[in-house]
């Protein structure tokens, strides 16, 4: 049934002959009526070129995003709260405002992306949050701090789902999970490197009369601004128009047609006849009950990850380790997460099973958070540090696969765009929750905080089980009725 729909769609568009949908040598028809044929080897070569063109620029931008979003956790070890003049509760409010700012503009941002295209819109976003991140080095007092965090979130909103949606236009379904995981390399690589970078920069305290955390914001923010200019200058507009803002054409007309048709043959829902998202697509997305378990799983499972992003360096200090070295020590867990993220994405595409991989990842995270809670009163700092590293390592390798799972079950290009926005909104709602899990009155062991984390992870695990069960049951029904089956 699915193959018949694909063939009919492409035949109606006069893009390929309907009878050739199963041919090993792929073909499309040009406007003149002549056929363009290509081999599997030629397609693989084009895909490799896309991998080395599109993915590195997106990864670099994600790297800059995570540096600017997460470096405040490193700043805490350099007396940030004392210098700015805020309490821990006020710091938590600022972190919640960052996530709230992202949530507020997530969907509007993706609607604009759909109309303007990724090169201009994403590039302008990078520049906007880059300037905010740079000049936050000069904040002083509660209200400037809160305003800066909110503004940073508003400027960052939409970037991650924009990148995810952009990739679906370049890759086929069986290639998506691995590329989503590769995209998140930017996130996890920044997390892994941020502690090492901070360890060096924070030693600059006193140079030019500035604190170490001020130098951290200045240097990393300026790097982001540079990335924004690189993105605008070099990123190709689309498979149909693979030209950069500088006028660099990366693929010939024939290669561009192959890039478009190989994706549309695989999934006709990626056909984008309009430059805007319809109200029907927005309505269909928000009334799609199947995304609810994905949404809740991400909110509750990632809330502890946001807490760790802010407080993990301080936790390591409470174990008895050096204040600045704690930033570098935590990079161990982030490097492991970096590797596991790739393993999860590769395994999901290789096996064709996104749901079970998501469930396995959430289960591992739940197990290590439980271990961290059980040893909270241990006098063995190495044991506590080891379990904290394991918790960080398994906190999110399943997240990118969850995103690709959602994207692959979207029914149109517009719905996929809104779904990706909701997916990333869930991660930032998690930030609003995670921003208040650790309270000053609960420090330094955070008995209550760790208990809350266990509860959240347990419900997230239940949602992962629910998501798997719903697709399993729906596919049994769909198979009996002879309709298209959901990707599980």
């Amino acid at each position: 049934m699915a193959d018949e729909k694909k063939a009919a769609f492409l035949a109606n568009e006069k893009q390929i002959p309907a009878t050739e949908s199963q041919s090993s040598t792929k073909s499309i028809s040009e406007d003149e009526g002549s056929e363009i044929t290509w081999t599997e080897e030629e397609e693989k070569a084009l895909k490799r070129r896309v991998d080395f063109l599109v993915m590195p620029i997106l990864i670099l931008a994600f790297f800059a995003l995570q540096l600017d979003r997460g470096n405040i956790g490193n700043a805490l070890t350099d007396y940030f709260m004392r210098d700015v003049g805020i309490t821990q509760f006020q710091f938590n409010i600022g972190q919640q405002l960052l996530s709230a700012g992202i949530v507020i503009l997530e969907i509007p941002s993706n609607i604009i992306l759909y109309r303007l295209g990724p090169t201009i819109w994403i590039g302008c976003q990078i520049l906007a949050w880059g300037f905010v991140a740079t000049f936050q080095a000069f904040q002083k007092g509660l209200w400037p701090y809160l305003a800066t965090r909110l503004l940073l979130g508003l400027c960052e909103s939409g970037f991650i789902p924009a990148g995810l949606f952009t990739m679906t236009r370049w890759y086929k379904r069986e290639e998506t999970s691995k590329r989503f995981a590769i995209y998140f390399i930017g996130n996890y690589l920044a997390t892994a490197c941020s502690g090492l970078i901070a360890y060096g920069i924070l030693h600059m305290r006193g140079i030019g009369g500035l604190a170490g955390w001020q130098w951290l914001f200045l240097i990393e923010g300026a790097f982001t601004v540079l990335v924004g200019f690189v993105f605008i200058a070099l990123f190709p507009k689309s498979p149909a128009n693979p030209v950069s803002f500088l006028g660099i054409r990366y693929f010939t007309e024939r290669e561009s047609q192959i890039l478009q048709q190989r994706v549309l043959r695989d999934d006709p829902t990626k056909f984008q006849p309009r430059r805007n998202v319809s109200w029907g697509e927005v309505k269909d997305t928000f009334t799609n009950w199947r995304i609810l378990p994905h949404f809740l799983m991400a909110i509750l499972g990632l809330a502890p990850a946001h807490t760790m992003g802010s407080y993990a360096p301080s936790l390591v200090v409470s174990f008895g380790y050096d204040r600045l070295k704690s930033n570098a020590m935590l990079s161990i867990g982030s490097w492991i997460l970096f590797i596991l993220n790739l393993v999860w994405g590769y395994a999901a595409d290789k096996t064709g099973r996104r749901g079970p991989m998501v469930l396995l990842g959430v289960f591992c995270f739940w197990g290590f958070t439980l271990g961290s809670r059980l040893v909270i009163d241990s006098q063995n700092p190495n044991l506590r540090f080891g379990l904290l590293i394991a918790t960080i390592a398994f906190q999110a390798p399943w997240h990118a696969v969850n995103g690709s799972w959602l994207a692959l079950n979207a029914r149109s290009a517009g719905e996929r765009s809104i779904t990706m926005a909701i997916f990333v909104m869930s991660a930032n709602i998690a930030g609003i929750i995670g921003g208040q899990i650790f309270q000053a009155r609960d420090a330094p062991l955070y008995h209550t905080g760790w208990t809350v984390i266990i509860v959240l992870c347990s419900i997230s695990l239940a949602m992962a089980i629910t998501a798997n069960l719903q697709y399993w049951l729906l596919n049994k029904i769909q198979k009996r009725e002879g309709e298209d089956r959901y990707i599980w």
Side-chain angles (χ1 to χ4, degrees):
M1 180 69 71
D3 289 338
E4 292 174 3
K5 287 183 178 180
K6 293 177 191 175
F9 170 85
L10 294 168
N12 289 337
E13 293 296 319
K14 298 182 180 181
Q15 292 165 330
I16 63 169
T19 57
E20 293 182 4
S21 63
Q22 301 299 323
S23 174
S24 59
T25 299
K26 302 170 179 63
S27 64
I28 58 176
S29 296
E30 294 181 285
D31 294 335
E32 296 83 5
S34 61
E35 283 190 352
I36 295 178
T37 62
W38 71 90
T39 63
E40 293 287 347
E41 290 72 22
E42 187 176 5
E43 182 176 342
K44 288 179 180 178
L46 280 175
K47 185 171 66 177
R48 283 194 297 270
R49 287 172 59 188
V50 173
D51 284 339
F52 285 103
L53 170 65
V54 172
M55 297 307 301
I57 301 176
L58 287 173
I59 291 169
L60 180 65
F62 208 158
F63 180 87
L65 175 85
Q66 186 55 35
L67 279 185
D68 294 329
R69 183 181 295 184
N71 55 15
I72 199 164
N74 304 119
L76 286 182
T77 63
D78 192 48
Y79 312 114
F80 172 80
M81 287 192 287
R82 184 198 67 184
D83 292 350
V84 175
I86 58 175
T87 66
Q88 183 173 337
F89 177 77
Q90 292 166 340
F91 171 83
N92 290 343
I93 293 294
Q95 290 299 84
Q96 290 179 303
L97 285 175
L98 171 70
S99 298
I102 296 173
V103 170
I104 290 169
L105 293 185
E106 199 77 80
I107 291 178
S109 176
N110 253 39
I111 292 175
I112 296 173
L113 164 83
Y114 199 84
R115 187 170 187 84
L116 296 183
T119 303
I120 297 299
W121 181 242
I122 296 179
C124 289
Q125 280 189 290
I126 298 171
L127 290 175
W129 93 63
F131 282 116
V132 174
T134 302
F135 292 106
Q136 70 177 332
F138 304 105
Q139 61 187 299
K140 186 71 174 178
L142 174 61
W143 293 111
Y145 164 71
L146 295 179
T148 299
R149 300 313 286 175
L150 177 60
L151 187 57
L152 190 62
L154 292 171
C155 292
E156 290 179 351
S157 64
F159 168 77
I160 298 176
L164 295 173
F165 174 74
T166 299
M167 280 184 286
T168 65
R169 300 172 68 189
W170 291 89
Y171 292 103
K172 300 196 299 190
R173 287 179 296 184
E174 69 268 17
E175 301 163 355
T176 303
S177 293
K178 184 163 64 175
R179 269 66 184 193
F180 275 27
I182 291 172
Y183 177 51
F184 274 82
I185 282 178
N187 180 22
Y188 301 132
L189 185 61
T191 304
C193 292
S194 62
L196 300 174
I197 295 171
Y199 178 69
I201 295 178
L202 292 179
H203 281 91
M204 295 175 65
R205 173 174 277 270
I207 297 178
L210 300 177
W213 60 265
Q214 290 179 292
W215 281 113
L216 187 67
F217 291 153
L218 283 170
I219 293 173
E220 293 184 349
F223 169 76
T224 299
V225 173
L226 177 62
V227 170
F229 285 117
V230 170
F231 191 97
I232 292 175
L234 300 180
F235 198 80
K237 295 178 181 178
S238 70
N241 187 22
V243 181
S244 74
F245 188 77
L246 291 181
I248 304 172
R249 185 174 185 88
Y250 297 105
F251 299 96
T252 66
E253 185 66 31
R254 177 174 177 277
E255 290 171 337
S256 174
Q257 290 179 339
I258 295 172
L259 288 172
Q260 295 174 74
Q261 297 309 313
R262 77 181 201 94
V263 172
L264 289 178
R265 295 183 66 148
D266 175 69
D267 186 0
T269 67
K270 294 179 181 178
F271 179 61
Q272 187 176 340
R274 306 177 310 277
R275 296 299 296 175
N276 63 286
V277 179
S278 69
W279 168 246
E281 288 172 321
V282 175
K283 181 181 177 181
D284 287 344
T285 305
F286 278 96
T287 56
N288 182 3
W289 55 268
R290 290 185 302 276
I291 72 174
L292 186 60
H294 296 271
F295 186 70
L296 294 175
M297 183 202 323
I299 290 176
L300 302 174
L302 293 178
H306 283 273
T307 304
M308 293 300 104
S310 296
Y311 286 103
S314 301
L315 287 175
V316 176
V317 173
S318 73
F319 297 163
Y321 295 100
D322 178 75
R323 176 175 60 87
L324 295 183
K325 285 183 179 179
S326 66
N327 295 294
M329 293 171 64
L330 277 171
S331 65
I332 298 172
S334 300
W335 282 111
I336 299 174
L337 173 59
F338 171 83
I339 296 170
L340 290 176
N341 173 64
L342 294 176
V343 170
W344 248 254
Y346 178 82
D349 274 347
K350 190 71 174 178
T351 62
R353 291 298 186 192
R354 280 80 185 177
M357 291 303 301
V358 170
L359 177 58
L360 176 62
V362 176
F363 176 76
C364 291
F365 183 45
W366 173 83
F368 285 116
T369 55
L370 178 61
S372 292
R373 177 61 181 86
L374 292 175
V375 302
I376 199 169
D377 293 306
S378 172
Q379 298 302 309
N380 185 342
N382 293 329
L383 175 62
R384 296 176 65 192
F385 177 73
L387 280 168
L388 179 63
I389 289 298
T391 300
I392 292 172
F394 280 91
Q395 66 186 2
W398 49 271
H399 182 50
V401 179
N402 188 31
S404 70
W405 191 12
L406 274 168
L408 293 173
N409 282 301
R411 293 163 293 189
S412 69
E415 183 177 330
R416 183 172 292 108
S417 175
I418 301 300
T419 299
M420 289 298 91
I422 293 175
F423 167 65
V424 178
M425 281 173 63
S426 66
N428 288 284
I429 293 173
I432 297 174
I433 298 171
Q436 289 289 0
I437 291 178
F438 282 0
Q439 297 288 335
R441 61 179 179 275
D442 197 28
L445 299 180
Y446 298 106
H447 286 91
T448 302
W450 277 107
T451 301
V452 171
I453 286 175
I454 293 300
V455 172
L456 294 175
C457 288
S458 297
I459 302 176
S460 179
L461 180 59
M463 290 299 102
I465 295 171
T466 301
N468 277 271
L469 284 175
Q470 76 172 357
Y471 287 110
W472 180 76
L473 290 172
L474 285 170
N475 280 344
K476 289 181 72 69
I477 297 172
Q478 298 289 78
K479 183 179 181 181
R480 188 164 55 245
E481 297 177 354
E483 297 182 4
D484 291 347
R485 301 180 71 188
Y486 295 101
I487 293 175
W488 174 43

